[in-house]
Amino acid sequence: MTWRSRLGLGGPAAVAVLVLVLPLVALLLRADWGRVLGDITGGTGVLALRLSLVTTFSTALGCLVLGTPLAWLLARSDGLVTRWLRAVLTVPLVLPPVVGGVALLMTWGRRGIVGQHLTAFGVEIPFTTVAVVIAETFVAMPYYVLAVEGAMRGLDPRLESIARTLGASDLRYLRTVALPLVVPGIASGLALAWARALGEFGATITFAGNLVGTTQTAPLAVYVALQQDPAAATSLSILLLGVSVVVLGLLRGRWVR
Amino acid sequence: MSDRGLDARIGLSRGRLRLDVSLTAQRGEVLGILGPNGGGKTSTVLALAGVLPLAAGEVVVSGSTWEKAGTRRLPEQRRVGLMLADALLFPHLRALDNVAYGPRSRGVPAKPARVRARAELHRVGLAEHADARPAQLSSGQAARVALARALATDPDLLLLDEPLSALDPETRARTRTDLARRLADYDGVTVLVTHDPLDALTLADRLVFVEGGTVSQVGTPAEVLREPRTPYVATIVGLNLYAAQSDSRGSLTLAGGGLLVTADPTPGEVWATVSPHAVVLHHDRPEGSARNAWPMRVSDVTLQGQSARVSLTGPLELIAEVTLASVAALDIRAGRELWASVKATEVFAYPR
């Protein structure tokens, strides 16, 4: 590399690294380390973290169970319907989460197009833990479906021809060949979806509210703490940072690249 | 069950290709399908496998109808084996489990399926590689596992689409021998697609040439070698071929211009062949008995082992095969002008 390109590319690259890394360093520098453990275990922190873990892993499970078949169907067809469906499915990806929360209220809320019928049976979804999972799934599923569909499209279609002539139905091919071969794609899709769910704020607070122990996830708890006790917010943030790094690290070792 | 192994007419459109090909074969026969790329070879195989649906025609194998107007068996409902240029082993399964995949998919319990798979691996000489992952196998070994896998379900129809083309030349020769040996004790019909004349001549009992979506010539290798009927077939068997009008004395007027004389007259519309070995090249106009002599210009020279193929243009197009010594002695190179002669006894004519 010439000096010119070193400066021309290296300068912006260094700034990019600073933009990304500096806030993380700041978080670590400003933490009141004597308090971190107390902040996390006392108060609402531990409740919020537990709720976050329960809801994000439920979301990941939901993506796996519902999103994998969808990704499979999308990967196998190229019709007009599929292309439109794929475009529509990516809307939650770009939608401001708060708008997503409003849309969810219009669907599952007491007067929502589905919720009004549930109310008749005494079932109310908004402001429950179920609502948190629905909100997180709404924002996270597209990441999962797109990642897994991409991996499935990467499979050599001739493998299926071979498997079929050997006597495998399309479902057996999916189970015994396609799924084992896209495990890395499924893992990175899960990691993406889980991370997105963990950070979910806007749709959750709009649709599920901010009830301690029921719908107040860790990001909501951080936000609330910041209003009253910035040091406690920092402690919780460090905890979230740690959890994210650990979970992604576990996945990265095996599958995520 | 009759000896009739395969009775198929395959009509379908794929992109710009209109395919209409009829194939018949007895049980135990190896049918070689040759043809230029894009001519419909692979589509034929995929249609027989049930991967591509027919628009018209039918497929009957060993007396059972696999496909005809309105009814179609899915690939998994056909007793068919498929092997492609790339071995396409399931990369996450051991060699043994690759071979056992077919029997398992067809309902054989795990244990007998593995016993069968081990036997099939043994027959292609890979018993000791049963536990190997596909990534640990050489390309030739992977091809043999793919063959074992295709045969482990006892198919009535075995489809081999360019099975050797992805192998390097040395591996190809050895794998060809293994393939021939394994096919010898297979009693179903084999359809072998290839563009390699050597594969076709050494492995196939009968050759079917598919050009532009239709069958252009059918015959045993000996028949095809003796009497090619399209320019493509002539290229494959390495002969100069001319469409001509012959009079009763053996004088041939070529459709593309030029004259040829044969010692064995067949009046009427004929094909005429000249072996490249029969063409003699000279500095000057040859004296003596050769009744076919033309002034030519060398357009191309390619080496093949100890001989050279010389493409010539002049009153007619001609390919000559000469020794390297003649190349040096006559200073043969592109653009060089020289004389070519062929004895009348070396020109063969047969009705078109």
Side-chain angles (χ1 to χ4, degrees), chain A residues 25 49 130:
Chain A
V25 174
L49 180 70
V130 173

Side-chain angles (χ1 to χ4, degrees), chain B residues 66-219:
Chain B
W66 286 4
E67 187 158 2
K68 69 174 177 194
T71 63
R72 171 161 179 262
R73 287 198 198 174
L74 295 170
E76 61 264 34
Q77 296 163 333
R78 302 178 178 210
R79 296 176 57 90
V80 67
L82 178 63
M83 177 185 173
L84 304 175
D86 302 309
L88 290 168
L89 299 180
F90 304 128
H92 58 301
L93 298 179
R94 297 179 302 160
L96 184 73
D97 295 321
N98 263 280
V99 181
Y101 189 89
R104 291 291 289 130
S105 298
R106 289 175 189 270
V108 177
K111 218 166 178 182
R114 273 200 214 108
V115 169
R116 175 65 195 267
R118 219 170 271 284
E120 287 296 333
L121 280 176
H122 180 73
R123 295 176 86 169
V124 295
L126 288 174
E128 68 279 22
H129 291 87
D131 291 329
R133 300 270 165 185
Q136 299 167 317
L137 298 170
S138 70
S139 59
Q141 289 169 338
R144 280 144 67 198
V145 173
L147 178 67
R149 180 176 64 176
L151 285 168
T153 53
D154 293 316
D156 286 328
L157 178 63
L158 177 64
L159 304 170
L160 309 174
D161 188 358
E162 306 270 10
L164 306 174
S165 67
L167 307 177
D168 59 76
E170 192 190 329
T171 313
R172 185 181 306 176
R174 253 184 312 140
T175 310
R176 186 184 292 120
T177 312
D178 295 334
L179 186 57
R181 190 178 307 135
R182 183 63 189 84
L183 290 182
D185 46 285
Y186 167 61
D187 60 359
V189 172
T190 303
V191 171
L192 167 73
V193 166
T194 180
H195 63 256
D196 183 344
L198 199 54
D199 290 350
L201 298 176
T202 56
L203 294 171
D205 301 310
R206 225 147 37 86
L207 304 181
V208 177
F209 287 83
V210 177
E211 297 180 55
T214 59
V215 174
S216 58
Q217 185 166 359
V218 182

Side-chain angles (χ1 to χ4, degrees), chain B residues 240-247 250-262 268-274 292 294 296 314-318 347-349 352:
Chain B
N240 293 291
L241 179 75
Y242 308 96
Q245 179 75 40
S246 173
D247 66 16
S251 187
L252 307 174
T253 310
L254 306 189
L259 282 172
L260 263 178
V261 180
T262 174
E269 304 265 302
V270 296
W271 291 108
T273 61
V274 174
N292 297 300
W294 313 273
M296 306 291 270
L316 70 170
E317 304 270 316
L318 193 61
V347 177
F348 298 98
R352 255 199 279 170

